[in-house]
Amino acid sequence: MNVVVKNINFIRSRGLNHRQFQAFFDETSAEQDDVTYYCEVRWLSKGKMMKRFHELRNKIADFMQIKNKPLSELNDPKWICDLAFLVDLTGYLNDLNLKLQKKGQLVNDLHNRFKSVSEQNPLVRGTDAA
């Protein structure tokens, strides 16, 4: 997680790097054109930021190589699998959080939603899900 935040902050927090990153995407004609900025206060942004980083990891690795800040983690298949796992997990949690925030729900509805998510997803169930 720290590697992702550090590299996104490197790209987004400096105006020159951000403009060069956008120009790099224009040159490579990538479909996605930017990374999502991470905000500690809004924890839902963590999942979106990690998902975006995962989608753009090859382009980000190329850009960081150009900037002489290579990402050795992006060459490690185990690290990539861990990142993909975190992306999936935070995605499930973000979806659950948004569903639980809907207006006009009864406690029974909230319990049923959480129960259905935990039954569908072995990651939420715990240790008995192997």
Side-chain angles (χ1 to χ4, degrees):
M1 178 66 180
N2 291 335
V3 172
V4 174
V5 171
K6 183 178 112 182
N7 287 289
I8 293 225
N9 286 342
F10 174 80
I11 293 170
R12 293 293 306 243
S13 65
R14 296 173 181 95
L16 178 61
N17 287 343
H18 190 222
R19 286 190 301 275
Q20 289 174 341
F21 186 71
Q22 289 175 327
F24 177 72
F25 271 94
D26 289 342
E27 290 173 7
T28 59
S29 67
E31 293 175 10
Q32 297 103 354
D33 59 347
D34 210 353
V35 289
T36 306
Y37 201 57
Y38 171 62
C39 177
E40 187 74 40
V41 175
R42 295 173 47 207
W43 73 270
L44 282 174
S45 71
K46 186 180 291 187
K48 292 177 183 176
M49 181 256 327
M50 289 177 59
K51 181 179 179 184
R52 192 71 158 156
F53 185 89
H54 186 264
E55 291 170 350
L56 301 175
R57 66 186 181 276
N58 295 328
K59 298 293 182 182
I60 290 172
D62 294 343
F63 178 75
M64 296 303 279
Q65 189 71 35
I66 291 169
K67 298 296 280 181
N68 292 325
K69 291 183 133 314
L71 293 174
S72 60
E73 292 85 2
L74 290 177
N75 295 325
D76 181 9
K78 183 183 179 319
W79 191 88
I80 297 288
C81 288
D82 290 344
L83 177 65
F85 173 77
L86 283 174
V87 167
D88 287 344
L89 184 62
T90 55
Y92 284 123
L93 293 175
N94 286 350
D95 290 343
L96 177 62
N97 184 23
L98 292 175
K99 289 176 183 176
L100 294 176
Q101 290 181 22
K102 290 183 179 177
K103 292 183 178 183
Q105 295 188 70
L106 300 174
V107 173
N108 190 35
D109 296 334
L110 299 175
H111 179 264
N112 289 339
R113 279 195 199 277
F114 186 76
K115 187 176 176 182
S116 71
V117 167
S118 64
E119 288 173 354
Q120 293 172 358
N121 188 352
L123 301 174
V124 178
R125 270 189 281 183
T127 57
D128 61 4

